[in-house]
Amino acid sequence: MGDDRTDREPLPEDDAEPLVLSSPEQFKALGHPVRHRMVNVLRQRPATLRQLSAALGMTKGTAGYHVRVLREAGLVRLTETRQVRGGTEQYFALVSRGFKFHKDAQGGAELLINAALGEMLPSSSGQSEHTVLRHLWLTADEAQALAAKLRAQAAEPAPHDSSRGDAYGLLVSLYRADIPSLDRDDCH
């Protein structure tokens, strides 16, 4: 039907190492709510500007601007071009299936929490609330062991098939909490 592929790059493998985020440009790019949503859409598959603009409810020009910011930050790349009637269609994809923060990066937790808050939909009537905050009293070794279990659970690949149901986010954070301790109560 007139599709003649002129350029095609392989997609990242599911087991490929995540991209390590370290530059201010990367944090700024991912910190914008529209670009965060765009990254979530591109986790499903490569897409054109037309497809991104339709999925995100924006103009093609706005989608193009945000893709350019993500490309300049090294988070998105051009994977394929196709000759179509009336011009060339470009497909964009994430450079990596996953991202992780550099060990010295500041603000990673804040970026993730803000991203989760930005994509969190309110509960529908009759739907139970799934958000819970708990505090655990752990030794350093127990905290490390629990963090390793949580990382392993969160690292399991998730299917990107929207026909299977609604998307749910999982924000896992084990952090030292600023909760003062009471002195021992000798009366009880």
Side-chain angles (χ1 to χ4, degrees), residues 39-51:
V39 165
N40 284 338
V41 170
L42 289 172
R43 286 186 196 285
Q44 298 170 45
R45 64 174 175 78
T48 64
L49 290 179
R50 181 185 52 77
Q51 292 168 333

Side-chain angles (χ1 to χ4, degrees), residues 41 93 129 142 148 156:
V41 170
E129 181 64 45
E142 290 170 332
E156 288 186 16

Side-chain angles (χ1 to χ4, degrees), residues 74-163:
L75 304 172
V76 168
R77 64 190 172 102
L78 177 66
T79 59
E80 182 179 350
T81 58
R82 289 185 188 184
Q83 296 302 315
V84 294
R85 192 174 61 212
T88 302
E89 217 173 38
Q90 297 179 321
Y91 281 81
F92 299 95
L94 298 176
V95 298
S96 175
R97 295 259 185 211
F99 302 125
K100 70 179 185 179
F101 298 109
H102 186 274
K103 63 181 178 68
D104 297 329
Q106 298 292 316
E110 181 180 353
L111 186 139
L112 291 174
I113 290 167
N114 287 335
L117 288 172
E119 69 185 36
M120 199 177 287
L121 295 172
S123 296
S124 304
S125 66
Q127 180 185 21
S128 63
E129 181 64 45
H130 301 289
T131 303
V132 177
L133 173 63
R134 295 283 189 260
H135 293 101
L136 307 173
W137 300 92
L138 305 170
T139 66
D141 289 341
E142 290 170 332
Q144 284 181 327
L146 180 56
K149 284 182 186 178
L150 293 172
R151 270 193 303 277
Q153 183 69 35
E156 288 186 16
H160 298 288
D161 182 0
S162 60
S163 67

Side-chain angles (χ1 to χ4, degrees), residues 28-39 56 66 114-115 118:
K28 184 177 179 184
L30 287 174
H32 192 283
V34 169
R35 291 189 288 270
H36 173 78
R37 291 187 75 214
M38 189 172 280
V39 165
L56 297 167
H66 289 292
N114 287 335

